[in-house]
Structures are given as C-alpha cells and as structure tokens.
Amino acid sequence: MSKYLLNKFLFMVDRDPELVERYRSEPRELVSWWEAECANTVLNCHTGEASTWLRFDDVEREALATHDHVKLFELGAHPFLTLTLFIALFERDNTEPLEYQKSYGARLAHFSMPYPDIAT
C-alpha cells in the first residue's frame, strides 16, 4: 500500500480538467491508464526520470475505480485531496449549496479520533 501513490493520483487528476472528466466517466479505465503511464513519473522533473516499482494494490485500485472516498480516507489518502477532486467530479450533480460537501462529510461521520494516518 502506498499513501504517496494514492495522493499523487488524486493530486494529478484534480489538476487536469480532461483527466477529471475521464475519471468521472470511465474511472476504472482511467485508473488503469494512470497506473501504467503516470504512476512512476517523477513530478516536476524532465521526462527521462522515472521510478519502476510504484503500483496500487487491489484495495487501492478498487477504491479509486469506484470513487469510494470513505475507503480512500480509511487507507490514508489526504482528505483535502479527495474532497477537492470529488467536488470537481460530483458537485454538478447537486442542486443545493454545499449539498455534495455535506454528503461527503456525512459518509465519514462514523470515524472518530484518532483518524487514519495520512502521513506519507
């Protein structure tokens, strides 16, 4: 399991409107593509630099592919990264102000202190 890789995925997808739309419409395909093409890139470095060993485990891959922010939080993904990306994905489906954000929080209400460790 790699909290770093989960957070890298959330960070990179959230910052690219095209990837946000692909993640919304074909999440499983985007996760597979991203893992194969982007997971091992070194951010803010020339394209010749890459790692070779980073990959999601099955639980992480499934949580990402099903947009399961509760499971991602449980796995240690940073809640700010999941919230900002998921607002971009799903806020448009709601009609009331902050409706999605309230629903997001309500689904996490069963967690109590100490929260899952988000340190990478």
Side-chain angles (χ1 to χ4, degrees), residues 59 63 68-79 82 103-118:
V59 174
D68 188 346
H69 75 269
V70 176
K71 179 53 100 175
L72 291 169
F73 182 68
E74 183 181 302
L75 292 170
H78 197 286
T82 55
S103 171
Y104 177 99
R107 289 189 57 210
L108 295 172
H110 67 282
F111 286 98
S112 60
M113 298 289 272
Y115 295 132
D117 182 11
I118 61 172

Side-chain angles (χ1 to χ4, degrees), residues 3 6-7 10 14 69-70 72-87 100-101 104-105 108 111 115-120:
K3 290 184 267 187
L6 285 175
N7 289 331
L10 298 167
D14 189 35
H69 75 269
V70 176
L72 291 169
F73 182 68
E74 183 181 302
L75 292 170
H78 197 286
F80 178 78
L81 295 173
T82 55
L83 179 60
T84 58
L85 175 56
F86 281 49
I87 286 171
Y100 180 74
Q101 290 86 333
Y104 177 99
L108 295 172
F111 286 98
Y115 295 132
D117 182 11
I118 61 172
T120 55

Side-chain angles (χ1 to χ4, degrees), residues 19-66:
L19 292 181
V20 169
E21 293 308 314
R22 284 180 60 195
Y23 188 42
R24 178 180 162 90
S25 63
E26 340 177 286
R28 194 167 302 280
E29 292 80 5
L30 179 74
V31 170
S32 295
W33 171 84
W34 188 91
E35 187 174 15
E37 299 297 324
C38 302
N40 287 295
T41 60
V42 179
L43 297 180
N44 301 319
C45 194
H46 63 82
T47 57
E49 293 292 329
S51 176
T52 57
W53 61 273
L54 293 172
R55 62 184 298 264
F56 296 123
D57 66 25
D58 292 340
V59 174
E60 293 167 330
R61 196 174 295 109
E62 187 63 19
L64 289 168
T66 58

